[in-house]
Each structure stands twice: as structure tokens, then as C-alpha cells.
Amino acid sequence: SKHGRFQQNHMLKWLESKWTRPMAMDAMPVDEGSLNPISQMELSLSEAPDGNHTAAIEMAACQSPEAESIYVARRILRQIREEGMRFNQTAVLVRSLPAYQEIIRHTFDRYGIPCFIDHRESVAHHPLVELTRCVLRLPAFGWTHDDWFTYLKTGLTDLIEAEIDDLENAAIERGWRGLRWWNPLKGPEDLVNRFEPIRRKLLKPIKTFLGKSDHDSETKMPLPWNGIQLAAAFRKLWKTLNIEYRLETWDESAFHSPKPNIQDGFHIRVLEVLEAWLLNFELAFAETPLPIREWIPIVDAGLNNLTVGVIPPAIDQVLVGAIDRSRNPDLKSTYLMGLNESVFPAKPTAPMVFDELERLQLENAGVHIGSRYRTQLATERFLGYIGCTRATEHLTLSYALNTSEGKAQAPSVFIQHVKRIFPQLKIHSFNERIDLSAALHERELLISPEFWRWKKGQSEAVLSQILPNMDSRITLSSISQHTGKATNQPLNGVIARHLYSESRTSPTLYTSVSRIEAFAECPFRFFVQSGLKTEERMAFELDARRLGSFQHAALEAFHMALEDEGLRWRDLTPSQARELMEQITSQTMKDFHEGLMEDKPVNRVTASALSQALGTFVAVIVEWMSHYTFEPIGVEVAFGGKEPQIPAWEIQLSDDTKMVFNGIIDRVDLCTREGQSSWAIVIDYKSGKKKPDEILSWNGVQLQLPVYLNVLRQPDAGASIEAKHIQPAGAFFTTLRAKHEGKSSRKEALDPDTSIDSMRKAYQHVGCFDISALDAMDQREGANRGEQFQYQLNKNGAPRKTNWHVMSPAKFDHFLYRTRDLLKEFGQRIFEGDLSIAPYQQSQQTPCQKCDYASVCRIDPWTQQWRQLEPACYGEFNDGKEA
Ligand code: SF4
């Protein structure tokens, strides 16, 4: 029989035979020779889509296209589990794939249904297409960094991945860009030896592409080419790069990969498509010479539209495709989705040349070109027939009551059409609210309050009672994967020792104060930074870090210049200090970081503003010297490291582990005292305003100032800075980029005579100090409020209650010892492998706001339990005694 396919299925057989002339099935007289009677049971099955059997034909109205895809996914799972259906005997068909493709892909992915989306793959971003684009863009847009590295990262050049990464880092750091690539590299010898061969290797194919044709010697831009010349240049480039061989190798390795995620022979088909496109390109533009820049939009338009058909793999997957494209003769079950008005049948498109009336007039005049409208409707009807008669056992028709945006929409005429043939067929409604007892997949549990009650132990039911439909393979542990929080398991101690130290016998953590502050903020942040050794990529840009280095370099040069002359800071007047600083910055600008400050006009303007600000800064400091008995005796003082001026600070953590601090102190000021140890003050330059916070210091989040003071307190610290014994007096932050306050004009603010006045407050030093050193720090008669240093005293000479940072000697000692104890505790926890994701929160502040590792730890600020910091307990000031 010509209906042999449907011998097992009367309903589908009836649907196929009555599609063009609909006739209700139950109204038909039974002809035993040709058609078996439809049993009452068969019809009733169609009323129970969630029962134990699947009906031959089902219809469902869903809330949205997303709900439709969930409905389909659930039906497929049922058929697989209960009826022995295979994924590759099932297809999901839609009228237009782009509208449904991602919805279906996501849903099926969630439900673990393997699917093959039958479409033509765009090759607009295939590496060969990117490479072809880039070689045009390179000369056209001045050899930009992005174009160079997009070209290299296609993986189709002779450079290997590690070489490209190294080269990119060096190029960003050294500012190698534009036409610099055409000339031998300059810079430190080892870098040049390393990268010059790579540069030559990368330039070779580009030179082949440009050929010996005339080009502008300055920009290396070729003179206008016609289509034939351009196509020949592309072919030459592909040949030089041995593209065919490379693409074959890619296909080969994709084929042998354990998880092939790409079509067999896909890459080589891309080359074939591109070659075919080049032939058309030559024909179309044979005689048109154009400058290279004008070829870009033309070539782009061509490349963007290239597609390659994807071949279905021979594995067990559900076919998802468009009705007019997908072919699969062996389907048992078909899901026809998106049966909505104007979706399927699709709305007729507007005619390109003649409208319906004109076609009618032409027909009356004897020219028969047919009605486009009618042809389109007939095609849609035919596609409806194809979609409904593809499967041999099950057909499911579904439509959405609303679009994804929530706009109401009507069902398609095909729904009515099928209803006319099967009047008894019920249309089931489906929304996404799934009863827990009907759950088919663990993902459905997550949206069920009943499940969460069970999980929290608030439900009496046992899992097998509440989940009767779950696949027996799904275990509690697989459910926990989706519901459990990431645990903060520590690293094994042995691994931690290997990670943080090179020595096996006496593990030593060499670190800096900022890294330990990161541990105090969040141990996981420290682990990523110091354990996994992630590093920020350096760029040849005047960013905040480089600006800071420039300022530090200038202040160091200022101090060295005075030392060379045998002068002290206080020997200069404010205007002399400013003048000297301006001379120094103009020299520093030239030498700084291979000319970075003069690289661009904007850098020169920034450098000149910095120079003025530094001039004002030293002028203000020098002016304060009249009542400040300390003298700067060291700048950029290194402790630990390769050339230490002060020994590194070591903290013994256990019998065999220790922690060693290295770093650089921006400035040390000393006040020598007859017969006593010298007072020392540490100044730390900041680019913004920063002040010590009592709670952050107590909890180890702000350690910089007390660590520096502890470094100076070491017995042999004074030797290199010409002091026998040092007694820390205080440590302060001061900004280098202060803002003018309360000036009526820019001119007034920049006037050297008024700027010192206005900047005193802005440059005020903020930090912690021992009150017994105050007389040496501020010798102004009867002052009870600091100008250079921030403090306020009561009438009795004691600091105000809010001045926690003005400390009695005992409190100051406690402050320094507490730091050492905290560091010891942190060091021990690091070697025990603590890598907990435990960021603190104080007021609204968390370290995550400025952390680069959120993508690594995957923190969710909405659900994170923040660690609360302990209140500080340094003790109260009480006339020099602790309360
Ligand atoms: S983002 Fe927050 S939780 Fe994540 S590593 Fe950084 S500080 Fe820690």
C-alpha cells in the first residue's frame, strides 16, 4: 500500500490521506479492507499527554515559545524512557529556525537532550575569513595592534600560541605598534634577540600578500588594485601560509578528538566556499581598480554572507531543523513547534517587483506570471502537510499563546485544520509550573518550593515518594551539584607549601604587605594572586600605576639631587624647591619608560600637569620644614629583595616555615636625639586620598603603615640610613595628586604664590603616631590642631576621642605588636592551605568591588554571606596610660 509507512498508526494514516480534503475521522464509515477502525482507546490516549503512554497525535497550547520548548523536551524524555524511542528517531521542526534555535538549544541543554541543529553555519568568523579580512585591514588602517594580533590569533600563521602571547605582552608593554613592525625592533638586547626573528616571521606572508606592487613607502599601503589582482593576492597569501594543509590538519584532529564539536571536513569546506566566492568576486570586479580601503566593505559584505551546510552526525541526537530544509526519512516522532498565525504558515513577503494587482493586470493582458500570493500560500500548505506527515508513530503540534516578549498571538490555521480531521482531539494547556511529583529532570526540582522544603528537612516525605518520575540514574549527589554551594575546602598543606615556596626543607613565603592585605580581605584572592601567580598584563600606557611610578621617580631624583649637592630639604626655599622639581621632571620625562611620557600629546600634557603638582608638593613640604624637626634621609628605601638597604622582615611561623617581607618605603624621615635612639617617620605617597581605618587595621586589611614601622624597628635597620637605633614615631599617607579647594579660577589656583597656601590642607599627612613624638613633629607654639599632620587635641593635651590614630606609647606598641601577631596567623593559615572565598564587608564596602578575580571565584553578591570584621580594641588614650 502507498500508506505502508503508517500501517501501525491509523491516526497518522488518516491525517495524511485527508490532508487536502479534510474529513472527520469519527464520522467515517469503517472500511475494513482499507482502514482499520479507530479504537476508542486510541482517541482517549490523545487526551492524556502526561499519562503513561504517548498519543499518536497531540496538540498543546503553551504560554510562550520557551514553555513550548520545555513541553517538547519533557515529551521527548518520556518517549525515550517509557517507549524505547531513540533520540535519532525524533525531530523537532519549525518553520523558521533562527527564531527557535537558541530557545530549543538552551532548553535541551538543560534537560540533557542531545540535539543536532540542522542549519547552514555562517563562516563569517572562521579563522580563515578573519585572516583574509585582517590582511586587508592592516595596511588600510595603519597596521593597528588589534589587526596584527587578530591576524596572528587565527592560528593560521607560522607562529605558535606561546610566541604570540609573549609577543603581544611585549608589544603592549613596549608600545610596538603601527609601522614599527616594519623596522627592526629597538630596546633591551635580550628582548630584541628574542622577538626580532618572530617579527621577521610574521612580516613575511604580509609582504607576499602586498607583492612587489607599487605601494606608498611611508604607509606601506598598496596602490589601487582591481578584483583580479586582489583575488590573486589572497590566493598567494593562502599558498604562502599553506592554508590547505593547515585546514586539513585541523579537520583531522577534530575528527580524532574524543569530543568532536565540529563537523567532519568543516574547515576544508570553508576553504572551498571561499575559493568559489573568489571566482565570483573576480568576475564581478575584474575591471574595477579601487584603493585598498574601499575594498574592505565589499569584501566584508561577501564574507559575511558565506555559509557552509552542516552535515548531520551519525550519532544519537534529536534533529532540530526547519521544515523546508531538514530531510530525515526515518522519523518515528515529530514535534511541530510554533504553529502560530503568521509564524507557520509564514506571512507572505512583500513582492520585490510586481504587486498582486499588477500581476492581475499582466494576466489580463495575456502575460502569465502567476499570483505570488497564492503560490506562497500553497507552499506553506504543502510544508504543513510535510511537517504533519513526516513521522510514522507520533506527531505533536504546539503553539504559543504569547510571544517571548509577552504579546498575545493566535494559533495557526493548521491547528483548526487538524481539529477538523480529528474533532475529538483535545488541546492541552501547558505552563511551566511543574508539580514536583511530575518532575522528569533534576533541573525541575530547583524551581519547586516542595523540593526545597524537603532539602531543608522541613518535609516528612522521602525522596522516592516526592519524585516518582525521576530517572533512576539520577542520584542525590547529581541533584546536589545544582543545589549545593561551593565549599571552601582548604588546600592540602603539602600542596600549599609547594605552591607558596620553592624550598622543600624550610618553606618560606616571600611576600609583600599588599599581598597579605589581600589575604586579609579574602583568602581566595590571595590564592589566585600568589598561589596561581596571576599577573596583570603591562601596557605601554600612561595608566595610574605608571603615573605613580613617574611621580616616585621624580621625587627620588629630587632627593638624590639634593644629596649630591650636600643639601637638605630644609635648605631650600619653597620657590627653589619648585624650580628644582621642574628641572628634574623635565629630565625624568625624557628618560621615563622608553619615552612613554612623550609618546603622545596627551601624555605630554599629563606629564606637565604632574610636574606642576610635584613642584607645589615639594614647595609645601619645604615650607613645613620650619616647624618639623625631622629630615628626609632616605627615599625609595628597599627592604629585602635583590639590593636591600634594610634587611627583609622575617616572621617565624612554625619550626620549619617562615614568612619574609620585601618592599620599598617611599620616604623615611629621621629626627636624631642626643643620647637616645632616633625617631623615624614613614611617609607613603598615594595617588588618591587614603586614611587609616581603625577596624581595617585591627583586622589586618590595612597593614602597610605598621608593617613599615616594624621593618624600621628591626635591630639592624638603622645601619644603612645612618642611625644607630631607630624608634618608630609614626607612619603617614600623603596624596601626590591633591585638588585645589575654594579657588575662583584656574589661574588663581595655579598661581605659585597662592597655590602653596591652598594646598596645605590637601597635602596634609594622615596616619598613626606616638604622641610622645608630637613635639618633634610639630613645633608650632600652642598648636592643638595639626596642619602638616592630621590631629586634634583637647585642652588637657590628650587627643580627641575620634583621633584613634594619635596613640599613647603603650597603644602605639600594641598597634605594632598586633600587626606582627596578625601576620603570623595569616602566614600559618596560608601554609595550611586556606583559600576560602570569604570577603569581608564593612558598611557597604567589600573587596569584591575592586577585585579582578570575580570571574574566577564566581561570587554572587546577592547570596554571598559576607564576613563581618571584629571591632578594634587597641585600648583608650588616658593621659599616656592605657584604660
Ligand atoms: S571577587 Fe571577592 S570573593 Fe572573589 S576573589 Fe575577589 S575578593 Fe574574593
Side-chain angles (χ1 to χ4, degrees):
S1 142
K2 67 176 179 170
H3 298 302
R5 290 197 308 134
F6 298 122
Q7 267 175 1
Q8 300 303 313
N9 196 306
H10 307 123
M11 288 180 78
L12 290 175
K13 190 171 182 176
W14 185 262
L15 179 67
E16 187 189 42
S17 61
K18 302 301 168 199
W19 182 264
T20 40
R21 288 198 196 135
M23 182 180 288
M25 190 174 195
D26 58 351
M28 272 293 296
V30 173
D31 171 1
E32 287 186 24
S34 60
L35 191 69
N36 292 330
I38 179 164
S39 69
Q40 199 52 43
M41 186 191 167
E42 217 167 349
L43 278 176
S44 65
L45 279 179
S46 66
E47 296 172 13
D50 275 303
N52 293 327
H53 304 278
T54 311
I57 300 180
E58 288 167 20
M59 289 208 273
C62 306
Q63 285 303 318
S64 62
E66 288 75 14
E68 251 187 292
S69 66
I70 292 173
Y71 175 80
V72 168
R74 290 173 54 79
R75 302 298 300 142
I76 290 175
L77 280 186
R78 260 196 189 290
Q79 285 188 327
I80 298 293
R81 289 179 192 166
E82 292 161 14
E83 294 168 30
M85 186 80 73
R86 294 176 64 89
F87 287 122
N88 62 5
Q89 293 168 329
T90 306
V92 178
L93 299 177
V94 291
R95 177 66 184 93
S96 160
L97 194 54
Y100 284 87
Q101 181 172 331
E102 284 313 307
I103 296 173
I104 297 173
R105 194 201 296 273
H106 280 142
T107 307
F108 282 19
D109 193 35
R110 285 210 316 263
Y111 279 83
I113 298 174
C115 68
F116 163 72
I117 311 257
D118 185 13
H119 63 301
R120 281 191 74 81
E121 186 87 56
S122 164
V123 296
H125 298 290
H126 186 273
L128 179 57
V129 176
E130 290 288 5
L131 177 129
T132 307
R133 265 194 211 108
C134 281
V135 287
L136 269 190
R137 294 177 55 85
L138 274 167
F141 294 119
W143 310 92
T144 67
H145 175 94
D146 284 354
D147 287 334
W148 269 122
F149 284 91
T150 311
Y151 161 78
L152 290 177
K153 285 176 188 175
T154 57
L156 290 167
T157 65
D158 286 338
L159 267 59
I160 58 170
E161 219 170 290
E163 281 179 325
I164 298 169
D165 281 350
D166 275 0
L167 185 70
E168 186 173 21
N169 286 339
I172 291 174
E173 194 176 348
R174 311 251 141 214
W176 295 337
R177 55 181 175 236
L179 286 162
R180 286 197 199 186
W181 291 108
W182 279 85
N183 301 312
L185 298 174
K186 287 187 189 140
E189 199 183 329
D190 57 330
L191 274 185
V192 171
N193 291 343
R194 194 156 135 225
F195 291 114
E196 185 55 27
I198 301 181
R199 183 195 71 87
R200 283 200 290 267
K201 221 186 321 178
L202 102 105
L203 215 54
K204 193 173 150 210
I206 300 292
K207 284 183 173 166
T208 315
F209 171 72
L210 295 176
K212 294 195 174 57
S213 66
D214 288 339
H215 57 257
D216 186 310
S217 59
E218 238 175 62
T219 61
K220 309 287 180 205
M221 175 113 85
L223 296 182
W225 276 339
N226 63 30
I228 293 179
Q229 288 168 319
L230 183 56
F234 283 141
R235 288 198 188 97
K236 241 187 318 172
L237 173 81
W238 295 347
K239 195 164 172 219
T240 310
L241 290 172
N242 213 353
I243 293 291
E244 189 171 351
Y245 170 74
R246 285 179 206 270
L247 294 181
E248 273 173 0
T249 319
W250 284 6
D251 280 333
E252 184 91 350
S253 39
F255 180 75
H256 292 295
S257 111
K259 271 188 171 180
N261 58 357
I262 198 142
Q263 291 286 303
D264 192 13
F266 177 78
H267 297 297
I268 211 71
R269 273 185 288 135
V270 173
L271 179 61
E272 286 162 11
V273 166
L274 272 173
E275 275 167 350
W277 168 75
L278 266 193
L279 289 176
N280 288 332
F281 183 82
E282 281 176 315
L283 288 175
F285 300 103
E287 303 293 332
T288 323
L290 287 175
I292 203 155
R293 213 178 251 229
E294 288 181 29
W295 279 120
I296 290 177
I298 298 171
V299 170
D300 257 352
L303 295 178
N304 287 347
N305 287 325
L306 295 181
T307 57
V308 171
V310 181
I311 300 167
I315 52 178
D316 198 17
Q317 291 180 321
V318 172
L319 172 83
V320 178
I323 294 166
D324 52 346
R325 178 179 152 74
S326 298
R327 303 275 175 271
N328 189 336
D330 302 320
L331 292 175
K332 284 193 176 172
S333 178
T334 303
Y335 293 83
L336 209 51
M337 279 177 66
L339 286 169
N340 279 99
E341 196 178 277
S342 80
V343 178
F344 187 27
K347 210 159 60 179
T349 49
M352 304 279 271
V353 182
F354 300 118
D355 61 20
E356 283 301 305
L357 191 62
E358 286 162 341
R359 281 166 191 265
L360 197 64
Q361 285 168 347
L362 282 170
E363 202 156 317
N364 292 339
V367 182
H368 297 280
I369 58 170
S371 161
R372 199 168 170 279
Y373 191 66
R374 280 205 301 274
T375 312
Q376 280 190 6
L377 283 183
T379 307
E380 292 300 314
R381 211 175 163 71
F382 173 66
L383 291 175
Y385 165 79
I386 296 274
C388 288
T389 57
R390 187 64 64 80
T392 54
E393 290 184 17
H394 300 284
L395 169 67
T396 304
L397 308 170
S398 65
Y399 61 93
L401 296 168
N402 303 290
T403 62
S404 295
E405 292 77 37
K407 224 166 108 190
Q409 56 180 1
S412 145
V413 290
F414 290 134
I415 296 289
Q416 281 317 312
H417 189 75
V418 175
K419 279 283 283 176
R420 278 173 70 193
I421 302 173
F422 301 104
Q424 297 181 30
L425 208 57
K426 289 250 168 67
I427 298 180
H428 307 285
S429 304
F430 177 77
N431 63 33
E432 292 165 68
R433 226 170 292 128
I434 294 157
D435 184 34
L436 193 57
S437 61
L440 288 174
H441 192 271
E442 67 248 44
R443 299 265 175 180
E444 291 180 346
L445 305 180
L446 305 182
I447 52 171
S448 158
E450 201 181 336
F451 171 74
W452 286 102
R453 272 203 305 281
W454 171 82
K455 189 144 195 326
K456 287 179 186 162
Q458 295 162 357
S459 164
E460 297 286 300
V462 290
L463 195 63
S464 59
Q465 281 168 356
I466 59 174
L467 304 174
N469 291 312
M470 291 296 276
D471 188 323
S472 57
R473 285 168 299 172
I474 297 169
T475 60
L476 260 184
S477 69
S478 78
I479 295 167
S480 310
Q481 269 181 17
H482 304 296
T483 59
K485 274 197 168 290
T487 52
N488 283 325
Q489 288 287 340
L491 278 179
N492 173 305
V494 178
I495 296 176
R497 286 172 176 228
H498 280 244
L499 202 59
Y500 296 118
S501 166
E502 282 169 16
S503 164
R504 301 284 168 266
T505 47
S506 138
T508 304
L509 172 64
Y510 290 93
T511 189
S512 67
V513 59
S514 58
R515 295 205 163 208
I516 296 298
E517 282 177 342
F519 181 84
E521 287 175 345
C522 167
F524 190 78
R525 184 174 181 172
F526 174 84
F527 164 71
V528 178
Q529 203 174 39
S530 299
L532 303 184
K533 304 195 173 47
T534 54
E535 272 180 31
E536 200 182 323
R537 178 189 264 174
M538 298 303 290
F540 192 72
E541 274 166 15
L542 199 49
D543 53 15
R545 187 185 298 207
R546 289 266 158 73
L547 286 175
S549 311
F550 174 74
Q551 289 167 315
H552 282 239
L555 284 163
E556 185 181 9
F558 177 85
H559 181 77
M560 302 318 283
L562 288 180
E563 265 197 1
D564 289 349
E565 297 292 321
L567 294 171
R568 298 168 306 167
W569 287 48
R570 67 182 63 249
D571 294 334
L572 300 183
T573 63
S575 53
Q576 285 170 331
R578 182 194 293 278
E579 210 175 297
L580 177 61
M581 181 50 94
E582 275 167 16
Q583 285 169 16
I584 283 167
T585 43
S586 67
Q587 185 54 44
T588 311
M589 263 174 80
K590 289 197 188 89
D591 305 336
F592 185 71
H593 201 71
E594 294 173 26
L596 173 64
M597 290 312 228
E598 297 188 326
D599 184 48
K600 301 187 239 184
V602 64
N603 291 7
R604 286 195 285 276
V605 172
T606 311
S608 135
L610 282 184
S611 160
Q612 277 189 18
L614 284 170
T616 309
F617 176 75
V618 289
V620 172
I621 299 287
V622 160
E623 209 210 33
W624 275 331
M625 289 283 172
S626 58
H627 49 76
Y628 178 54
T629 61
F630 288 69
E631 185 60 34
I633 49 93
V635 290
E636 303 297 310
V637 180
F639 59 97
K642 282 186 190 146
E643 292 175 16
Q645 289 161 272
I646 298 178
W649 186 28
E650 291 189 13
I651 298 177
Q652 198 68 35
L653 303 175
S654 66
D655 290 347
D656 63 341
T657 55
K658 64 181 172 187
M659 182 155 70
V660 176
F661 281 91
N662 303 320
I664 291 176
I665 302 175
D666 293 345
R667 202 177 93 205
V668 178
D669 295 358
L670 219 60
C671 167
T672 40
R673 295 184 297 167
E674 221 27 64
Q676 292 181 56
S677 50
S678 308
W679 285 119
I681 277 183
V682 166
I683 303 289
D684 190 66
Y685 300 133
K686 290 284 170 220
S687 52
K689 285 237 171 210
K690 181 167 180 178
K691 61 177 190 180
D693 179 285
E694 189 176 15
I695 295 182
L696 295 184
S697 298
W698 179 261
N699 287 275
V701 176
Q702 266 190 8
L703 286 173
Q704 201 176 11
L705 299 183
V707 165
Y708 290 165
L709 292 173
N710 272 296
V711 168
L712 288 179
R713 206 152 68 142
Q714 296 182 94
D716 39 3
S720 64
I721 50 175
E722 295 158 20
K724 265 199 179 151
H725 297 291
I726 291 179
Q727 184 172 350
F732 299 87
F733 296 124
T734 182
T735 181
L736 291 179
R737 272 188 255 163
K739 292 194 178 81
H740 288 271
E741 283 167 18
K743 294 289 154 204
S744 55
S745 69
R746 185 180 159 78
K747 193 164 172 247
E748 192 189 344
L750 293 179
D751 179 348
D753 295 332
T754 60
S755 65
I756 292 182
D757 242 16
S758 75
M759 294 305 274
R760 277 203 199 103
K761 189 148 182 253
Y763 287 127
Q764 190 177 55
H765 305 349
V766 191
C768 307
F769 64 95
D770 179 343
I771 195 163
S772 53
L774 186 58
D775 286 345
M777 288 161 57
D778 188 351
Q779 293 203 315
R780 290 171 308 145
E781 219 30 59
N784 62 356
R785 175 188 286 263
E787 184 182 274
Q788 180 176 4
F789 299 98
Q790 191 189 58
Y791 71 87
Q792 282 174 300
L793 303 180
N794 292 324
K795 280 194 186 132
N796 65 0
R800 288 209 180 157
K801 262 205 164 356
T802 49
N803 281 209
W804 75 274
H805 57 282
V806 183
M807 303 181 185
S808 65
K811 182 175 174 181
F812 194 63
D813 242 20
H814 185 191
F815 176 60
L816 299 188
Y817 278 117
R818 161 127 188 118
T819 304
R820 192 202 51 196
D821 294 345
L822 271 177
L823 293 174
K824 187 167 180 181
E825 181 206 319
F826 292 161
Q828 286 166 343
R829 278 170 52 196
I830 289 168
F831 276 122
E832 279 160 16
D834 186 352
L835 45 76
S836 46
I837 299 173
Y840 74 88
Q841 185 182 45
Q842 195 201 11
S843 309
Q844 288 308 306
Q845 182 188 327
T846 74
C848 307
Q849 291 152 346
K850 288 187 185 161
C851 179
D852 295 328
Y853 307 128
S855 57
V856 184
C857 70
R858 316 285 294 268
I859 188 173
D860 177 357
W862 287 77
T863 57
Q864 178 66 29
Q865 299 277 326
W866 303 98
R867 176 167 51 95
Q868 298 306 315
L869 298 180
E870 269 181 44
C873 188
Y874 288 119
E876 296 299 320
F877 191 92
N878 183 10
D879 286 336
K881 298 187 182 90
E882 295 307 307

